[in-house]
Amino acid sequence: MKISVPIIANVDFLLLGGSVEGCRKAVELAKKGYSVFAATPYSHFGEDICSTLELLDSGRKTPAQVKHELDLAFIESGADFLFQSSAAALTLDEKGNVAGAVIANRTGFQAINAKCILDATQFGLAAQYYCNGENNFIPREYEVSLIQIGACKTSGDITLEQLPDVVEDGISYPVFRAIKRMNFTEFSPESLNKGMITMRRACFHPNMVRCADQCVYHFGNICKPVDPESGILTKENFTFAETLIQKRPARKASRVKTFSSSGKNYEVVRLDKPIRFNDDSFPTIEFDLNTLPVLASCDVLVTGAGTAGAPAAIAAARSGAETIVTESMAYPGGICTSGMICTYWFGNRCGFTRELDKCSNEMGPNPVTDILHGNTYNPIWKQQWLMQEIDDAGGKQFYFTFCVGAVIQGNRVCGSLCAGPFGCGIILAKRCVDATGNADLAAAAGGAVMPFIPEEPAVQGAGLAPFPLKPHTEGSDENSDYSFVCDSDVADGSRFFVMARGKFNDCFDVTNILDTRERRRIDGDIHLQPQDIYANRTYSDTITIARSNFDTHGFTVHPMFLIKASEKEPYYAKVPFRALLPKNLEHILVTGLAVSAHRDCMPLIRMQPDLQNQGYAAGLAAAMTAADELPMRKIDIRKLQKKLVGKEILPESILQENDAVCGNSGDGSHSFLSLIFLDEQNAIPNLKKIFSADPENIQYALILAYLGDDSGKNLLKRTVESMEWDQGWNYRGMGQFGASCSPLDSMIMALDRINDGTDIIFKKLQTISVQSEFSHIRAVSMYFIHHPQPAAAKELRRLLSSSGMSGHAIKNYSDALSSNRKDRDDTSVRNLQLKEIYLAKALCKCDSLDTFGRSVLDSYRTSMQGYYSLFAKVE
């Protein structure tokens, strides 16, 4: 597939990779007035000393301090940058000269025009691209080193060097560098990842508190010499940068330097619309994704080795399928290991989860936390067990590798386009499990996905955790909720990494993963709704039974919860196989946070124990269909369920269940409402009949209005008009249960549904102040967004122009740091941002010529926060 890649910058210098030496040179050049853009595949700069922990050998600074200092250096110099962005290809001008590069990330592909490239990548990636992938690597034995803190296992073929201790909170931790000689037959992602896994297995010690994310491979300089006149400077000749730039005119890319595309019977695609860099203001360059090289092939490919992905890889590999799992982090486990969210909130702790808990708990004697008798586990032990178990089952693991495209044959997904420190390449597979948690593979393949923002920026809050050295104890983890962040938006993710490092720079380190609770989801063969849980719905193809409560981390949007808020008690929720099947794709399952479900029922099915079991079921299904050469939809579902019963993920009774509504789940009012919302149109006549017999029953008037029937409009209007503003709701993240709107808010939103009561709502708007709760501002703003009234513009402008109400959009990295607050789970900034953007959007709807409202809305449209940007753009 030939895609149009937006050219997002024109600079003097493009820094690819983030080694300390490369960063220092880029900042130095930026301070001298040169324009600089930097892109690194990692979530931070200084990967050569921070990810390897080599900084502990020469200085006393922590990784968090170095990363934060490098962030500040780039910000203060005026250089722009993006994290988690890998160099995918070089671009050439009309004369064939190097004109810049294409980078790849979860948002898609972008190009940067540059006079000169500073190649600060781990293995000289730009130089290798220039030499058509050739290098000077010689197959032989090399030294590989790995740094661990706390303890390191010793064996006959490992040499240990002790480095200076690290001190945290008055406790000293010994530091060791392990060195092992290993034979490398080739230079490839597979061989280097295998070497890293070998080192981690050889060095693991139950008393270690940290292992470096990366090994150091002592290959020397494997790149072929590149003439500086080419416009590519490696670390050996960074000093020529200013001399070279004087001789090189501005570059304009006209084509991408690519490999041959002959003899391929598949199509490499990126079919989802990028969330950023997607308007006509960016010139584009054509890039043929089919020209990228094949890295490997397998029976089952699992993209993402997180909470669901690692179990999927284990299940597939145990089933005998040749399995490859790719993961953007350094270890498997995702948020529950790399993200340091290592306490179970709820979840059905059975099946594979029980095995995982037991085995990870036995990785050493005297565990500090006992997950078998408590709720907290050791994330170091857990990630190690997952890695070893995939390896023992025969699965291949590619770390620092993320999905940036899909390989398809018609509507069949047959692989992934991957990116990372090794560049871009294709992994082919008979069956795929998308465990990215963000439907990255399914969306890239053109699968049906739910919109990021259907109407409102209603999204569960996110955190990004500090990463201390101290071992965890029961009930302790680094769970947090202090911002929104969109996983599909590389700029938003980069913003959040900078923000977190500013917030926690006094800690030893900060995690490298966005701790998000809500992401892009597929539109599957079945779409789970909150009413399904309350109606105790059963399915013929149940694969897991989840257990949690409605811990919403924000505000709800489903009409059932606007009528009656969810309570705090937990429920069981059955998840059918069909919820993992994207409507229009075959040969792929989607597991984790990206399954097909309404966002308001996700808190019930996203708990770690349940996703671990769900991922295991997905990996098992993928291996079964690969072996039987069957489409996913033709799987013998009872055979799969029997295997899951054998694994104790499901009870045997599930084999007798079919699609049905059993009722009587939860309190009576929710059960009643659930039956209504399961069959809305057939419920209306009976509700109208009941209401006509009791015309003062506000509850029935409310329900009818949310179903689109205006039979109770007069009662609703009289009630709203007679009420004073009641106790509203301000945004709350952690521990948010129950109502996120007041009874009056709910009635205003009901009138919004039936387009009535404008005069009354206008009067309510006149009585709102800047001190009013967000839920009140949300209710009236959404009303006038849907039903604009010029008369309302004056009042909306009054509120928006009040002192302290505007100016909260995060437009750049400096704003991101300024938005930090001392409280770990601060909600004050989000409340102000939400109030501001809702009012600005309503004002622009009521008066499209209002320049102040437009300027505020534009500040969010172009902001670094993806969800706000989308809400500001949605008409």
Side-chain angles (χ1 to χ4, degrees), residues 800 809-811 836-837 840-841 844 848 850-864 868-869 872-873 875:
L800 190 60
I810 295 178
K811 301 179 289 296
E836 181 183 13
I837 195 171
K841 185 157 187 175
C844 290
S848 61
D850 189 285
T851 56
F852 178 59
R854 180 56 55 188
S855 67
V856 172
L857 200 60
D858 284 346
S859 71
Y860 282 99
R861 183 178 287 111
T862 58
S863 76
M864 296 193 77
Y868 290 146
S869 178
K873 291 175 183 177
E875 293 298 328

Side-chain angles (χ1 to χ4, degrees), residues 484-497:
F484 298 141
V485 64
C486 179
D487 292 75
S488 293
D489 184 355
V490 64
D492 199 2
S494 298
R495 180 271 311 176
F496 203 25
F497 284 119

Side-chain angles (χ1 to χ4, degrees), residues 754-774:
I754 57 176
N755 189 15
D756 210 333
T758 299
D759 293 342
I760 296 168
I761 308 305
F762 176 68
K763 291 178 182 178
K764 292 298 177 188
L765 173 62
Q766 290 178 307
T767 62
I768 282 183
S769 71
V770 293
Q771 284 75 39
S772 296
E773 291 92 343
F774 163 66

Side-chain angles (χ1 to χ4, degrees), residues 284-296:
T284 61
I285 184 172
E286 192 176 81
F287 184 16
D288 188 351
L289 300 180
N290 289 311
T291 63
L292 292 166
V294 174
L295 301 176

Side-chain angles (χ1 to χ4, degrees), residues 605-627:
I605 63 173
R606 66 166 176 79
M607 293 297 109
Q608 290 180 19
D610 301 322
L611 294 186
Q612 288 162 177
N613 283 331
Q614 185 193 108
Y616 191 90
L620 193 58
M624 288 172 59
T625 55

Side-chain angles (χ1 to χ4, degrees), residues 119 169 215 318 325 328 362 480 512 639 649 663 726 757 801 803:
D119 188 350
D169 296 333
C215 295
R318 283 178 177 177
V325 59
S328 61
E362 296 172 350
S480 59
N512 295 323
K639 182 179 178 182
I649 289 175
D726 49 6
S801 60
S803 176

